[in-house]
Structure formats: C-alpha cells, structure tokens
C-alpha cells in the first residue's frame, strides 16, 4: 500500500502548476493517445507540450503510469461534464478530481458511465452515486472524515492534498510537480 500524506502534495500551493481551476481525470486501461481521441482529438493533432507551451485553456495533456492515464486540464474545468465522463469511462473506469475558480472541489468515481461514488471534500459525509460508501475506508486513510457532519465552527480541510492522496491510494499513481512540467502528449480538444 502506498504511504502518503497531504504534506507530500505541498507543491500544489504553487499556483503555476495547475492554476486557479483544474481537473485531473484518471482513466484505467487507455494509453494517452486513446484518452485524447476519446476527447475528440485527431491522432495527427496529438503532440508534445511542456506546461509552458501548452495553449490554455483549449488544450489538455496526458500522462501514463502503469495501467492509468491521467488527463491534465489546467486553468479550466471544461472536462467536468457527464458527456466527457461517459466517453472516457466507456468499458473502463475513471476517477476525476477537480477544483473550480471558486475553490469548490469534487471527487467522482465512474465505471462505464455509471457514477459509483462522488463527494465534495468539505462535506465528505454527503456522498452520492450507486455505491456511495464504496470508498469510505480509503477516504479515511486519505484524511477525509466521511462520518462527521461538521458544525459551524469547523476548519476547512486541505482538500487538494487529500484528493491527491485518495487518487494515489486507488490508482497507485503518485503525481509530482515534475510530471506537470512535461513534455507530455496533448491536443486541442475544446
């Protein structure tokens, strides 16, 4: 089992890595090119981009680790859309984490278009999906409290770090700042 803590993701504080809005979609069993094609990219349009060269917000990049490919959307959350999730999760599974410009985050676990588990990290006790309690133990290990309804005076959790720990526990993929620098395959998909 991977042993991580939220501190392993302190690099997320650097706004130049992901921007003020971002989404990361982990897709099992697809390579980078197939994941990008499912988003509408043509094979001829897929090329390598560094973080600095990537035309934002129109382009996304992809990175593969083991059996998972991570689709990296920086400075936007346009891929946070059920149609996109359906296309990416067809005959496989996806995990999407994102944060929008208002600081609102979400976790979604989808198998072949069916939402299994989703939650907002600030209200981890309010889970939705066909199997809302499927990942409760992993949530606890990642630093979420899936059982407690917070009172008015509670401190907001470190959402980003916990989301990254949770996805690492579920996928075995540990993201580091260096990965985002690239170069990685990408394409204009928006």
């Amino acid at each position: 089992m991977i042993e991580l803590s939220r501190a392993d993701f302190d690099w997320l504080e650097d706004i130049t890595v992901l921007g003020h809005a971002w989404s990361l979609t982990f897709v099992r069993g697809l390579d980078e090119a197939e994941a990008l094609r499912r988003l509408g990219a043509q094979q001829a349009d897929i090329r390598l981009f560094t973080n600095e060269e990537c035309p934002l917000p129109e382009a996304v990049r992809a990175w593969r680790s083991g059996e998972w490919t991570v689709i990296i959307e920086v400075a936007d959350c346009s891929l946070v859309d059920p149609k996109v999730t359906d296309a990416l999760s067809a005959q496989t599974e996806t995990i999407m984490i994102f944060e929008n410009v208002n600081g609102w985050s979400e976790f979604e676990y989808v198998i072949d278009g069916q939402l299994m588990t989703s939650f907002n990290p600030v209200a981890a006790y309010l889970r939705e999906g066909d199997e809302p309690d499927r990942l409760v133990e992993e949530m606890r290990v990642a630093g979420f409290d899936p059982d407690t309804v917070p009172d008015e005076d509670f401190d907001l959790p470190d959402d980003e770090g916990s989301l990254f720990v949770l996805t690492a526990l579920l996928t075995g993929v540990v993201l580091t700042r260096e990965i985002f620098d690239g170069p990685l395959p990408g394409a204009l998909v928006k």
Side-chain angles (χ1 to χ4, degrees):
M1 175 180 234
I2 295 174
E3 291 191 31
L4 296 168
S5 72
R6 290 180 282 208
D8 292 311
F9 298 99
D10 284 347
W11 55 267
L12 290 166
E13 298 299 320
D14 182 353
I15 200 68
T16 65
V17 179
L18 289 172
H20 292 288
W22 53 267
S23 75
L24 301 173
T25 305
F26 297 71
V27 187
R28 179 177 248 162
L30 301 182
D31 65 20
E32 301 97 315
E34 176 60 22
L36 292 168
R37 283 192 299 271
R38 286 190 182 196
L39 294 173
Q42 299 299 313
Q43 184 65 38
D45 298 329
I46 297 172
R47 66 182 193 88
L48 294 177
F49 292 107
T50 64
N51 198 24
E52 292 177 356
E53 298 167 336
C54 190
L56 301 175
E58 297 83 10
V60 298
R61 297 182 303 148
W63 176 73
R64 183 161 178 123
S65 177
E67 61 182 324
W68 292 87
T69 292
V70 184
I71 298 170
I72 302 166
E73 180 183 33
V74 176
D76 197 16
C77 288
S78 296
L79 299 184
V80 181
D81 179 311
K83 291 178 186 173
V84 172
T85 304
D86 288 349
L88 289 171
S89 70
Q91 299 179 355
T92 189
E93 60 188 298
T94 63
I95 295 172
M96 177 183 277
I97 60 175
F98 68 88
E99 181 172 293
N100 69 18
V101 294
N102 298 317
W104 185 73
S105 300
E106 186 81 8
F107 171 95
E108 295 181 353
Y109 175 56
V110 178
I111 298 176
D112 199 15
Q114 290 297 119
L115 179 64
M116 304 309 286
T117 307
S118 76
F119 66 93
N120 176 325
V122 174
Y125 66 96
L126 292 174
R127 295 174 302 282
E128 297 177 331
D130 291 348
E131 296 181 25
D133 295 335
R134 181 178 183 139
L135 306 174
V136 166
E137 289 308 312
E138 292 88 346
M139 291 171 67
R140 283 190 185 98
V141 172
F144 294 107
D145 183 351
D147 304 313
T148 304
V149 178
D151 60 25
E152 293 177 16
D153 297 328
F154 83 106
D155 292 327
L156 290 177
D158 173 11
D159 296 350
E160 288 180 344
S162 294
L163 286 172
F164 278 64
V165 171
L166 180 58
T167 56
L169 291 171
L170 297 172
T171 65
V173 176
V174 179
L175 296 172
T176 64
R177 177 186 166 74
E178 293 75 24
I179 291 165
F180 292 92
D181 291 337
L184 300 172
L188 301 174
V189 298
K190 301 181 254 177

